[in-house]
Amino acid sequence: MPPTYDIAVIGAGVIGCAIARRLTLDGARVIVLEKAPDILDGASKANSAILHTGFDAPEGSLEWRCVQEGYREYEAIRSQMNLPLDRCGALVLAWNEEQEARLPALIDQARANGVDDVAALSRAETLALEPNLAPSLRTAFRVPRESLIDPWSAPHAYLLQALLNGAELWRDCAVTGGAFDGQLWRLETARGVVGARYVINAAGLYGDRIDALLLGETAFSIRPRKGQFVVYDKAAARLARHILLPVPTDKTKGIVVCRTIWGNLLVGPTAEDQEDRSTADLDTPTLEMLKRKGAEILPALAGEEVTTIYAGLRPACEFKDYQIKAHEGRNMVTVGAIRSTGLSSSLGTAAHVARLVSGLGFAASPLSDPELPRMAMLAEAERRDWQCPGNGGMLCHCERVTLREAEAALTGPLAPNSFAGFKRRTRATMGRCQGFYCGQAVQDLLNRGTGA
Amino acid sequence: MTPLPDTFDVLIVGAGPAGLSAAAELKSRGVASVHVVEREAEAGGIPRHCLHSPYGMREWGRVMFGPAYARRLLAEARAAGARIHTATTVTALLPGGGVELSTAEGLRRINARAVLLAMGARETPRAARLIGGTKPGGVMNTATLQEFAAFSHHRPFRRPVVLGSELVSFSALLTCRSLGVRPVAMIEPGARISARAPMAALPPILRVPLWRDTRLLAIHGQSQVESVTVETGGNTRRIACDGVIVTGGFRPENALLRAAGLAVDPGSLGPVIDQYGRLSDPAYFAAGNLLRGIETAGWCGREGRRVARAIAQALAGQLPDPALSRPLACETDAVAFALPQRLSPGGPAPAFDRLQLRLRRPYRGDIALNGARFHIASRPERRILRKLPDA
Ligand SMILES: Cc1cc2nc3c(=O)[nH]c(=O)nc-3n(C[C@H](O)[C@H](O)[C@H](O)COP(=O)(O)OP(=O)(O)OC[C@H]3O[C@@H](n4cnc5c(N)ncnc54)[C@H](O)[C@@H]3O)c2cc1C
Ligand SMILES: Cc1cc2nc3c(=O)[nH]c(=O)nc-3n(C[C@H](O)[C@H](O)[C@H](O)COP(=O)(O)OP(=O)(O)OC[C@H]3O[C@@H](n4cnc5c(N)ncnc54)[C@H](O)[C@@H]3O)c2cc1C
């Protein structure tokens, strides 16, 4: 008999992490199966880190509902788990007549989506809020509740809460096949057979492949859409207070300029369709284009230092909306094509999935007093460990990561299995020097930590 | 160790050659309390992990290796009576010489009558060069490679490529050899190497091919580098390798200056100083590679001593009113920077008795600075020295 669980979640991206948390809190015995050496290695490793309100989502869409529910739950749970939220608000900017003409419809859509605090702004009002904007700006509107979060501490917190309350995580554990006998799924994985009463496909960029593998068919095909970014050093963060959005097109929200929760400023993402599901290549001409674009919006950006560059892949498909479906008689839920709002919607998506799993017949009693993880606070605006006694001294100078933070990240059920995973948990080596000063010290610490 | 007091005479930020040399000089000039803070666990700055020579030629007329050189500077500063505080990071510079620092015990604030900034310079990493591809492990600057060689048993790669051909790029080749690592190639985008021509003899001796006119377009690999794409004369090809050493492109460690709103020269990326090394807030002084990337350790140490003399003069009220300082007027855009950037009229002999110039592009012709005309025929990577114009 293989080890058997109530629920097997395939994929530990932000969606799988949130689902594992929800179902564990609902009383299920959950196992999370992740192909990569560490979690958050797919679409969730690189995004714009904006907590969206859903103001521009297609009206009545599933995406819109999940984003709204996800936003509310993030607000409700974040202080217990020490997760940051920078309520900076967004400005949707019109740079020409044509874009200006589209603003009223976008404002109407936002109101129809329940985001009723949006407000139209004149040119003068906009420039008063954001004096560094290029003077060619015309008008704008403001979405006060668009916010910035930490794209990694949130999903880590979700999965960690699941693990602290009895869930299991198997990494380096690709699902390679499976069969349902009417009662139980037997999933074949890189680490042996796993039994589960219900299976959740949260495989992100491989969602269609997992459906094909387990159900023999798929209702959508993933078409990865790459987004490249340029991140500027912290000195540039003074140039923008709001998230600066363009008027969106059908295909993409467009290139954003915004601060990060860590006090940098980013420009991106692009929207480039590609076949490859695993590699998001950066290319110099595009990065140069992003720098030009950034300087068109904020002219003072031209003189600022670039800290890092990165790219992510959106799990887009031929449909606009999320592809979430409960498969009656197969005890499986597909959570596919969570394209460009998964960070914002994950908690709401998880709640929706939990309802679907109940609909398939799963029942359990919710945990009465679940354990709560407290995450390291890495947000620039909050009190950080380097400001507190007993921090052990500084490991990474640019991001001011302390030894105590590093050691905390290396212990517990969600300790990283890779350098990249350690970086996501602590930000060590992710600042302006990119490891010039601390790269070797960090590597040695990890080698000791993992016994390598 | 005596703890750092709340108020004292001179705080030095950074215990590299510039800061340690300045500390010794200040003590020898009778300044009562001189404290050096260093964020690393050991004082000494970059030379701590330069397992190569030459160091010490300018100071002691002998060739030394970096670590011995750093130890000697430290011993001299201590012997002179300066206090060194390691594992202490300056996190903010406040107007008038107040400084915020972080240690294992948390945050503190201290006040000094004068503060010398000697935070050094670092190399430009891969990201800021916008090199394409993925972001695997095994991509690092020369200093990090040196730290592996000096402090670690870990060999980060076996067959890297070396990007760049500055002086430091050749020291990267030597560091590789000491680690038992043989680079696949040394890659230089230009037609000639950046360092002086004779250095081109080194790669063949070490059996490392030197590819000029070659650009590094992309780095490939998942957890570790697997290959790179390079382009020569319009032809691209993939080269198998397991690391990339990104060398040179030095830039001052200026983040604290920017955060404090102290004037920064967009050409040098270091602070704007007058001929005494004073910043736009005259409680602050600067020396060493923070002023510009990059000079040798001996050069930086001498700058530290000279600015130390100016600090002693400032404490004695002997420096001219900084409000009267004027920028140096330069009429051509071929000059990337000219240091010092401002001149304060009517004071004692300057700490910077010569103007340090760098070019933005190769240039041959006359340059007018504050009315004085200089002839220049040089290239961006060369240091140019001229007599300091009159204030
Ligand atoms: C450029 C860009 C910008 C974005 N900006 C934002 C934003 O600002 N705000 C926002 O809310 N959202 C944003 N998003 C969207 C968000 O990042 C995604 O919606 C989200 O990450 C999708 O998560 P996921 O869990 O569905 O997929 P993934 O993160 O891809 O997770 C799927 C996991 O499944 C694993 N897996 C795959 N196959 C198998 C298998 N056979 N066996 C086991 N495991 C497997 C993968 O390794 C992976 O870890 C952005 C996305 C991109 C790319
Ligand atoms: C790879 C490499 C090889 C080199 N090889 C040679 C050589 O062979 N010969 C030679 O003469 N020169 C060489 N140099 C140059 C020489 O090392 C430098 O010129 C010299 O170290 C500069 O001295 P400095 O004091 O200005 O800066 P650094 O030596 O860089 O010292 C600055 C110090 O300030 C500290 N610091 C920075 N910020 C803070 C803060 N906020 N709070 C507290 N402390 C801080 C740093 O930790 C550092 O210790 C080399 C440099 C490199 C990078």
Side-chain angles (χ1 to χ4, degrees):
Chain A
M1 222 359 220
T4 298
Y5 302 81
D6 293 331
I7 314 267
V9 178
I10 303 175
V14 64
I15 296 294
C17 292
I19 293 171
R21 168 181 174 274
R22 176 76 272 143
L23 292 170
T24 302
L25 296 181
D26 285 353
R29 275 205 71 213
V30 175
I31 182 159
V32 180
L33 305 169
E34 169 54 54
K35 170 174 76 171
D38 200 7
I39 73 166
L40 307 180
D41 196 54
S44 305
K45 101 171 125 188
N47 55 53
S48 318
I50 299 171
L51 189 68
H52 294 295
T53 54
F55 79 91
D56 57 351
E59 208 178 319
S61 62
L62 180 58
E63 175 181 18
W64 168 73
R65 276 186 282 149
C66 291
V67 166
Q68 294 230 322
E69 193 173 354
Y71 190 111
R72 278 197 300 274
E73 189 169 353
Y74 185 84
E75 271 188 310
I77 65 172
R78 70 171 194 97
S79 44
Q80 310 164 344
M81 301 209 261
N82 211 27
L83 300 176
L85 179 69
D86 181 338
R87 291 176 211 269
C88 55
L91 299 179
V92 179
L93 306 172
W95 297 95
N96 58 38
E97 231 166 285
E98 190 199 326
Q99 291 171 358
E100 205 168 4
R102 291 188 49 208
L103 294 189
L106 291 170
I107 292 175
D108 287 346
Q109 188 188 6
R111 297 213 166 109
N113 279 351
V115 183
D116 45 21
D117 52 359
V118 291
L121 299 176
S122 69
R123 177 170 184 275
E125 287 168 327
T126 312
L127 292 177
L129 288 174
E130 292 292 349
N132 296 303
L133 281 172
S136 59
L137 175 88
R138 295 176 76 100
T139 49
F141 71 91
R142 181 157 182 261
V143 192
R145 288 186 303 119
E146 290 281 299
S147 301
L148 303 172
I149 65 171
D150 182 328
W152 297 315
S153 72
H156 280 122
Y158 307 158
L159 186 55
L160 188 54
Q161 190 175 27
L163 300 181
L164 292 176
N165 289 288
E168 281 182 43
L169 166 67
W170 289 9
R171 288 175 274 194
D172 281 316
C173 185
V175 173
T176 52
F180 182 60
D181 66 6
Q183 298 282 318
L184 204 65
W185 277 97
R186 288 172 58 90
L187 294 178
E188 289 148 29
T189 81
R191 295 176 55 181
V193 174
V194 172
R197 294 168 55 208
Y198 298 85
V199 167
I200 316 286
N201 168 8
L205 292 155
Y206 295 83
D208 54 346
R209 297 262 176 92
I210 291 291
D211 267 9
L213 195 67
L214 300 184
L215 300 169
E217 60 181 359
T218 174
F220 61 96
S221 354
I222 292 292
R223 298 175 180 170
R225 187 167 297 160
K226 179 167 72 179
Q228 303 189 50
F229 294 88
V230 170
V231 181
Y232 289 84
D233 194 19
K234 300 188 197 300
R238 72 182 193 287
L239 297 176
R241 166 83 203 129
H242 289 79
I243 298 162
L244 305 176
L245 302 170
V247 171
T249 67
D250 244 17
K251 196 173 156 206
T252 155
K253 290 177 185 294
I255 289 169
V256 180
V257 177
C258 66
R259 289 175 297 116
T260 69
I261 199 86
W262 310 292
N264 297 67
L265 189 91
L266 65 77
V267 180
T270 54
E272 306 165 63
D273 291 327
Q274 67 173 46
E275 292 290 314
D276 191 323
R277 295 167 187 240
S278 63
T279 307
D281 265 319
L282 296 153
D283 73 89
T284 312
T286 304
L287 298 168
E288 277 164 355
M289 179 278 288
L290 287 172
K291 284 184 72 175
R292 278 196 305 277
K293 207 76 196 158
E296 274 169 34
I297 297 166
L298 297 172
L301 207 50
E304 295 293 334
E305 176 182 3
V306 169
T307 288
T308 192
I309 51 180
Y310 69 94
L313 295 177
R314 304 171 186 86
C317 75
E318 66 270 48
F319 308 109
K320 243 192 140 190
D321 207 354
Y322 290 0
Q323 300 299 304
I324 303 184
K325 186 171 190 303
H327 304 281
E328 295 280 347
R330 304 300 297 270
N331 283 10
M332 177 164 153
V333 179
T334 299
V335 193
I338 313 296
R339 181 180 67 176
S340 53
T341 50
L343 180 64
S344 311
S345 78
S346 57
L347 295 169
T349 301
H352 177 68
V353 169
R355 291 188 290 268
L356 293 179
V357 178
S358 314
L360 291 176
F362 175 74
S365 36
L367 303 188
S368 55
D369 190 16
E371 295 280 330
L372 265 171
R374 260 191 93 70
M375 307 307 289
M377 175 55 80
L378 303 180
E380 183 82 350
E382 306 283 336
R383 191 173 164 79
R384 295 268 317 271
D385 198 41
W386 59 268
Q387 298 165 305
C388 303
N391 63 51
M394 238 182 254
L395 172 66
C396 161
H397 300 295
C398 302
E399 293 302 308
R400 297 182 180 165
V401 181
T402 69
L403 213 51
R404 178 165 61 184
E405 283 171 330
E407 274 157 9
L410 289 171
T411 50
L414 202 45
N417 277 343
S418 66
F419 198 108
F422 179 72
K423 284 162 58 170
R424 288 195 282 269
R425 285 163 180 79
T426 61
R427 287 197 56 73
T429 76
M430 296 184 89
R432 61 184 74 87
C433 93
Q434 295 281 298
F436 176 94
Y437 293 109
C438 72
Q440 172 267 326
V442 170
Q443 183 71 61
D444 273 14
L445 186 77
L446 289 185
N447 291 349
R448 279 203 303 281
T450 58
Chain B
M1 195 174 71
T2 41
L4 196 58
D6 290 331
T7 54
F8 50 92
D9 292 328
V10 182
L11 173 73
I12 298 176
V13 186
L20 290 174
S21 305
E25 180 72 19
L26 281 162
K27 286 306 295 183
S28 78
R29 289 181 175 268
V31 175
S33 49
V34 177
H35 293 268
V36 185
V37 293
E38 166 56 53
R39 63 189 182 182
E40 300 294 341
E42 300 290 336
I46 295 284
R48 276 178 310 131
H49 50 72
C50 289
L51 298 186
H52 54 270
S53 55
Y55 277 96
M57 288 297 290
R58 186 187 292 270
E59 303 83 328
W60 304 304
R62 50 183 273 219
V63 175
M64 300 169 84
F65 292 91
Y69 175 84
R71 280 195 298 275
R72 177 148 173 191
L73 283 177
L74 176 61
E76 289 189 353
R78 282 223 171 95
R83 304 270 176 220
I84 321 286
H85 309 267
T86 55
T88 304
T89 307
V90 171
T91 53
L93 308 173
L94 311 172
V99 160
E100 183 191 271
L101 15 103
S102 163
T103 67
E105 294 322 307
L107 207 55
R108 266 195 76 178
R109 203 173 268 198
I110 54 105
N111 280 287
R113 292 171 65 204
V115 178
L116 173 65
L117 303 175
M119 286 99 77
R122 59 187 155 83
E123 296 166 279
T124 301
R126 172 264 174 106
R129 299 172 193 233
L130 306 185
I131 296 169
T134 58
K135 295 173 65 181
V139 181
M140 65 188 64
N141 286 135
T142 318
T144 316
L145 174 72
Q146 289 190 172
E147 299 199 69
F148 277 108
F151 307 140
S152 167
H153 299 297
H154 181 79
R155 183 159 47 169
F157 36 58
R158 275 142 213 276
R159 294 284 281 152
V161 297
V162 177
L163 179 63
S165 65
E166 297 180 29
L167 199 52
V168 68
S169 322
F170 294 91
S171 80
L173 295 182
L174 296 174
T175 305
C176 281
R177 194 182 53 167
S178 76
L179 275 166
V181 164
R182 183 142 69 87
V184 178
M186 183 173 206
I187 299 172
E188 163 55 43
R192 48 202 271 195
I193 62 167
S194 299
R196 301 228 172 246
M199 291 309 292
L202 185 61
I205 294 172
L206 298 171
R207 291 188 298 144
V208 176
L210 169 60
W211 297 341
R212 299 179 183 86
D213 278 319
T214 301
R215 275 149 297 278
L216 177 58
L217 298 185
I219 299 173
H220 313 287
Q222 293 302 328
S223 64
Q224 183 77 16
V225 176
E226 288 158 20
S227 63
V228 294
T229 300
V230 299
E231 180 259 322
T232 313
N235 296 323
T236 61
R237 57 196 166 128
R238 272 222 191 194
I239 309 295
C241 59
D242 65 352
V244 181
I245 307 170
V246 180
T247 69
F250 282 94
R251 50 182 305 144
E253 177 70 336
N254 67 9
L256 289 177
L257 306 176
R258 305 255 355 243
L262 292 162
V264 169
D265 180 340
S268 67
L269 298 176
V272 170
I273 55 166
D274 72 2
Q275 76 272 34
Y276 302 104
R278 272 189 304 190
L279 274 62
S280 52
D281 178 338
Y284 289 95
F285 292 74
N289 280 336
L290 179 64
L291 296 175
R292 95 269 84 189
I294 182 186
E295 294 289 352
T296 62
W299 180 282
C300 292
R302 193 184 54 168
E303 262 173 8
R305 284 191 299 280
R306 296 205 165 177
V307 174
R309 184 183 68 194
I311 293 173
Q313 289 165 336
L315 295 180
Q318 292 163 1
L319 291 193
D321 183 352
L324 301 178
S325 82
R326 282 192 300 266
L328 212 66
C330 174
E331 71 188 15
T332 162
D333 74 330
V335 173
F337 67 85
L339 192 142
Q341 292 85 351
R342 300 179 71 89
L343 296 174
S344 301
F352 293 81
D353 54 354
R354 283 179 298 173
L355 202 57
Q356 302 177 26
L357 294 155
R358 291 278 171 131
L359 296 176
R360 216 182 290 283
R361 51 187 159 83
Y363 185 81
R364 182 182 293 274
D366 279 2
I367 284 177
L369 272 165
N370 270 25
R373 290 197 91 72
F374 304 108
H375 182 73
I376 282 176
S378 190
R379 303 201 286 137
E381 51 274 23
R382 302 277 178 260
R383 168 212 302 152
I384 303 166
L385 297 175
R386 291 291 181 273
K387 183 178 158 297
L388 194 69
D390 293 329

